[in-house]
């Protein structure tokens, strides 16, 4: 029993006899469940090839898709603009989900409001909610811009954001000149990366579509950087650092790196940093626009090419050595600025790390999942390390992405055993980890349940999880790390290699049995 002098946290508490009895009574008296023997039998069946064949025939059911919905991406995008309040036209519960998702990942508050649509709005529409919502949000939180997105409810009933926002201004609830860009972000199609793309296109459209007269490509001497749905705060900083070392001026179109990493100094910052409205208006005058995650930015690309008339370079996400080289050389080409010795030395240190770690990563098999650009970048890194990507899964990727990854695999001797699964989910990945066991699994926190399940079958079947991607809920401070550039390559190689060495120590720790290889120097 707990007392004031001895308060236990959850983990050991539920191992106490009284709690074990309580849980046992609950199962016996109320759950009407199956016997432990039957549960074990079914569990073992789900690890077989027979079950996998059935699992892969699913068409009407998704189990843990490893993606979130569009408005969540829209909220992150809006958060990257100066004194901008993300506003979701929909139910309050949806916004609570978005905020807690970012709270848990960044360990920071997430400012986002809802106009709390409920049953009456579902019948009559949400115009009245927007009248009050926009007026209250502006008065209470004093933003300089409110960026509006939608949830399922608003989309199903067909609410027209453009009309609703214009009506709100005409009725005098907010000033006519107050910026309220918007994006329709239905949750039942696409994913969080689609929502990010839609929101950015909505913001740059709002500020530049009808003001292109007098704009001249290259006149401001800058390059535009569009990050896409990016939750590694170190990635914003590493791109800025590399551009600064090249003496390249730039505009980041959405930069939430400060608002989701504010200092603990006694001051609450609802808004911090971010791209200013003047920078958005000036963006068409840039030399060009670089997309860091091109697979997820189709709508933005079309607007930048069609309205700003920028020739958007065809680049891949700058992960790994070769694709970072491509990024820096393209920046050098379009700006005329040389790549400095400091970056050449950084590249050399990265190559030295690869040489040091190659023996441990060579031939190791990795299953991985996540967002399309990130997974493609991870495959590139694994191939450069001499590792073997085996099961490559992205639920929110399309067939064109799948063919691009297959082409990468075919061009490397380390990719011959790789198989690509666009549109598949983590229950598919679970089957693959049982029937064709990789050495490690790379993905977000949800992969820990696959590790638990494989271990439950026996230690020989365990597939350890290496946490890379979004969201990371069950570890701290990983969101501050870097995955882009040479610095990101070095960070990931460190994480991968040490995971291999950690597993090797675990397997060679048996006293006088396996500890002949329990070496101090690896």
């Amino acid at each position: 029993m707990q007392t004031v002098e001895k308060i236990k946290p959850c983990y050991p508490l539920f191992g106490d006899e009284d709690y074990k009895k309580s849980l046992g009574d609950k199962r016996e008296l109320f759950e009407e469940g199956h016997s432990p023997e039957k549960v074990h039998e079914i569990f073992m069946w789900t690890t077989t090839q027979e079950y996998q064949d059935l699992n892969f025939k699913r068409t009407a059911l998704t189990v843990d898709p490893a993606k979130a919905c569009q408005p969540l991406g829209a909220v992150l995008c809006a958060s990257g603009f100066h004194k901008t309040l993300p506003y979701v036209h929909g139910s309050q519960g949806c916004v609570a989900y978005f905020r807690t998702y970012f709270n848990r990942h960044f360990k920071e508050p997430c400012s986002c409001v809802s106009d709390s649509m409920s049953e009456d709005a579902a019948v009559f529409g949400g115009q009245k909610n927007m009248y009050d919502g926009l007026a209250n949000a502006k008065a209470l939180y004093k933003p300089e811009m409110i960026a509006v997105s939608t949830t399922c409810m608003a989309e199903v009933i067909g609410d027209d954001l453009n009309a609703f926002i214009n009506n709100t201004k005409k009725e005098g609830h907010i000033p006519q000149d107050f910026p309220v860009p918007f994006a329709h972000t239905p949750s039942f199609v696409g994913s969080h990366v689609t929502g990010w793309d839609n929101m950015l296109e909505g913001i740059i459209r709002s500020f530049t579509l009808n003001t292109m007269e007098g704009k001249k490509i290259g006149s401001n001497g800058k390059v535009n950087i569009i990050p896409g749905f990016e939750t590694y705060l170190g990635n914003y900083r590493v791109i800025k650092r590399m551009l600064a070392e090249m003496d390249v001026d730039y505009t980041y179109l959405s930069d939430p790196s400060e608002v989701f990493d504010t200092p603990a100094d006694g001051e609450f910052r609802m808004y911090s940093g971010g791209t200013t409205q003047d920078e958005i208006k000036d963006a068409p005058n840039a030399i060009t626009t670089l997309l860091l995650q091109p697979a997820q930015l189709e709508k933005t690309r079309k607007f930048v090419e069609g309205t700003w008339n920028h020739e958007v370079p065809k680049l891949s996400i700058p992960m790994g050595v070769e694709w970072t080289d491509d990024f820096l050389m393209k920046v050098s080409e379009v700006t005329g600025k040389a790549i400095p010795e400091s970056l050449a030395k950084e590249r050399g240190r990265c190559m030295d790390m690869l040489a040091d770690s190659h023996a441990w990563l060579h031939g190791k098999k990795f299953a991985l999942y996540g967002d399309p650009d990130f997974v493609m970048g991870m495959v590139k890194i694994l191939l450069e390390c001499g590792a073997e990507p085996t099961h490559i899964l992205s639920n929110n990727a399309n067939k064109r992405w799948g063919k691009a990854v297959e082409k990468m695999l075919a061009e490397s001797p380390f990719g011959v055993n790789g198989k690509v699964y666009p549109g598949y989910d983590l229950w598919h990945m679970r089957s693959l980890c049982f029937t064709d066991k990789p050495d490690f699994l790379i993905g977000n926190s949800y992969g820990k349940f696959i590790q638990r399940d494989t271990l439950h079958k026996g230690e020989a079947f365990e597939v350890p999880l290496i946490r890379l991607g979004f969201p990371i809920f069950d570890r701290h401070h990983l969101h501050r790390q870097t995955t882009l550039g040479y610095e990101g390559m070095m960070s990931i190689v460190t994480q991968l290699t040490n995971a291999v060495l950690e597993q090797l120590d675990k397997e060679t720790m048996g006293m006088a049995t396996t500890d002949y290889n329990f070496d101090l120097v690896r």
Side-chain angles (χ1 to χ4, degrees):
M1 296 293 291
Q2 294 202 86
T3 65
V4 174
E5 291 77 22
K6 188 178 181 182
I7 297 177
K8 294 182 180 179
C10 173
Y11 158 56
L13 179 64
F14 281 84
D16 286 356
E17 289 302 318
D18 52 339
Y19 277 91
K20 288 163 70 174
K21 182 178 184 306
S22 176
L23 292 170
D25 290 344
K26 176 176 175 289
R27 283 192 293 268
E28 183 177 345
L29 299 174
F30 302 109
E31 291 185 359
E32 298 183 8
H34 296 284
S35 68
E37 293 76 19
K38 186 65 175 179
V39 171
H40 179 71
E41 176 192 339
I42 298 301
F43 172 85
M44 294 301 291
W45 177 59
T46 67
T47 71
T48 63
Q49 185 65 49
E50 178 190 16
Y51 181 83
Q52 179 180 307
D53 294 341
L54 294 171
N55 189 14
F56 272 68
K57 290 178 181 178
R58 279 189 286 125
T59 57
L61 174 68
T62 298
V63 183
D64 202 346
K67 68 176 181 182
C69 61
Q70 281 205 51
L72 181 133
V75 169
L76 180 67
C77 179
S79 298
F81 290 88
H82 183 66
K83 288 192 175 180
T84 296
L85 183 66
Y87 177 113
V88 182
H89 180 55
S91 68
Q92 188 172 349
C94 291
V95 174
Y97 154 63
F98 308 144
R99 292 177 63 175
T100 56
Y101 225 70
F102 289 129
N103 293 157
R104 292 158 68 195
H105 179 78
F106 293 112
K107 307 297 187 283
E108 293 280 347
C110 173
S111 298
C112 175
V113 298
S114 162
D115 53 19
S116 301
M117 290 176 66
S118 55
E119 290 82 358
D120 58 339
V123 176
F124 301 109
Q127 177 70 83
K128 284 184 62 179
N129 296 68
M130 189 159 283
Y131 284 162
D132 294 336
L134 288 176
N136 289 339
K138 183 178 183 301
L140 288 170
Y141 304 116
K142 298 177 174 53
E144 293 181 0
M145 176 166 74
I146 298 175
V148 181
S149 54
T150 54
T151 64
C152 297
M153 182 193 299
E155 291 296 327
V156 168
I157 64 177
D159 281 0
D160 183 339
L161 289 184
N162 185 49
F164 281 17
I165 292 167
N166 286 333
N167 290 340
T168 304
K169 291 182 174 183
K170 287 176 184 177
E171 293 294 327
H173 297 282
I174 55 173
Q176 281 284 350
D177 61 350
F178 186 80
V180 187
F182 65 89
H184 284 274
T185 52
S187 303
F188 41 80
V189 295
S191 70
H192 54 287
V193 302
T194 320
W196 198 102
D197 182 31
N198 286 342
M199 189 75 255
L200 184 72
E201 194 268 355
I203 290 173
I204 61 178
R205 174 183 292 273
S206 173
F207 281 96
T208 65
L209 178 63
N210 298 317
T211 58
M212 288 299 296
E213 187 176 349
K215 298 289 193 294
K216 184 179 179 182
I217 296 173
S219 60
N220 68 9
K222 297 182 177 182
V223 293
N224 296 325
I225 304 294
I226 298 182
F229 186 92
E230 177 59 75
T231 56
Y232 278 99
L233 302 181
N235 285 342
Y236 296 92
R237 293 160 185 160
V238 74
I239 296 295
K240 293 176 187 178
R241 176 179 63 78
M242 291 194 297
L243 294 177
E245 290 184 34
M246 292 181 68
D247 193 29
V248 170
D249 203 359
Y250 60 88
T251 296
Y252 239 107
L253 290 170
S254 184
D255 177 8
S257 59
E258 286 191 37
V259 75
F260 285 122
D261 197 16
T262 57
D265 57 4
E267 177 187 349
F268 171 64
R269 297 166 174 83
M270 177 171 285
Y271 312 108
S272 186
T275 310
T276 66
Q277 294 180 33
D278 287 342
E279 288 176 313
I280 307 170
K281 295 171 184 176
D282 188 44
N285 293 318
I287 300 166
T288 191
T289 298
L290 302 175
L291 310 181
L292 299 187
Q293 300 192 66
Q296 61 170 263
L297 293 168
E298 294 182 5
K299 196 169 182 180
T300 294
R301 178 196 290 275
K302 288 178 182 177
F303 183 84
V304 169
E305 291 177 335
T307 301
W308 294 358
N309 295 317
H310 286 193
E311 292 185 11
V312 178
K314 289 180 170 54
L315 294 170
S316 300
I317 185 171
M319 291 176 70
V321 177
E322 183 180 358
W323 287 354
T324 300
D325 290 348
D326 292 345
F327 172 77
L328 292 176
M329 288 190 291
K330 179 56 68 174
V331 171
S332 178
E333 175 190 327
V334 300
T335 63
K337 300 291 181 72
I339 298 173
E341 181 66 16
S342 61
L343 291 178
K345 284 185 176 180
E346 186 177 339
R347 185 186 191 277
R349 286 192 291 271
C350 182
M351 297 304 296
D352 183 61
M353 285 187 64
L354 283 177
D356 293 341
S357 299
H358 179 268
W360 294 109
L361 294 174
H362 176 81
K364 291 294 181 183
K365 293 177 166 44
F366 293 85
L368 64 155
Y369 65 90
D371 292 333
D373 287 288
F374 171 77
V375 169
M376 188 175 284
M378 279 304 310
V379 170
K380 183 67 173 176
I381 287 175
L382 291 171
L383 295 176
E384 289 183 343
C385 290
E388 298 184 18
T390 54
H391 314 305
I392 303 156
L393 185 149
S394 181
N395 184 271
N396 48 350
N398 54 32
K399 291 181 179 179
R400 184 172 66 253
W401 173 89
K403 289 180 179 178
V405 177
E406 287 173 350
K407 183 174 183 293
M408 289 172 57
L409 296 172
E411 293 171 349
S412 170
F414 306 113
V416 293
N417 295 317
K419 294 183 180 179
V420 187
Y421 299 94
Y424 288 76
D425 59 43
L426 291 191
W427 197 250
H428 294 114
M429 178 63 84
R430 179 184 181 274
S431 280
L432 293 168
C433 285
F434 277 117
T435 60
D436 186 11
K437 180 184 178 298
D439 295 306
F440 295 91
L441 174 65
I442 296 173
N444 62 25
S445 290
Y446 289 96
K448 70 187 298 178
F449 297 103
I450 295 178
Q451 179 175 356
R452 178 201 60 184
D453 283 11
T454 54
L455 175 61
H456 184 70
K457 187 174 181 179
E459 284 193 19
F461 299 93
E462 181 182 7
V463 179
L465 172 66
I466 300 173
R467 288 164 175 79
L468 283 162
F470 171 84
I472 305 294
F473 288 154
D474 62 333
R475 296 292 186 272
H476 281 222
H477 313 304
L478 297 186
H479 66 276
R480 291 187 173 90
Q481 290 186 346
T482 305
T483 62
L484 302 185
Y486 306 126
E487 182 182 317
M489 177 70 163
M490 289 188 278
S491 175
I492 289 174
V493 168
T494 300
Q495 197 167 349
L496 298 181
T497 308
N498 286 334
V500 170
L501 297 177
E502 185 77 25
Q503 185 67 16
L504 183 59
D505 278 350
K506 180 180 176 182
E507 293 173 0
T508 59
M509 204 176 287
M511 188 75 75
T513 53
T514 60
D515 63 351
Y516 302 108
N517 297 105
F518 193 59
D519 295 332
L520 189 62
V521 179
R522 295 290 193 190

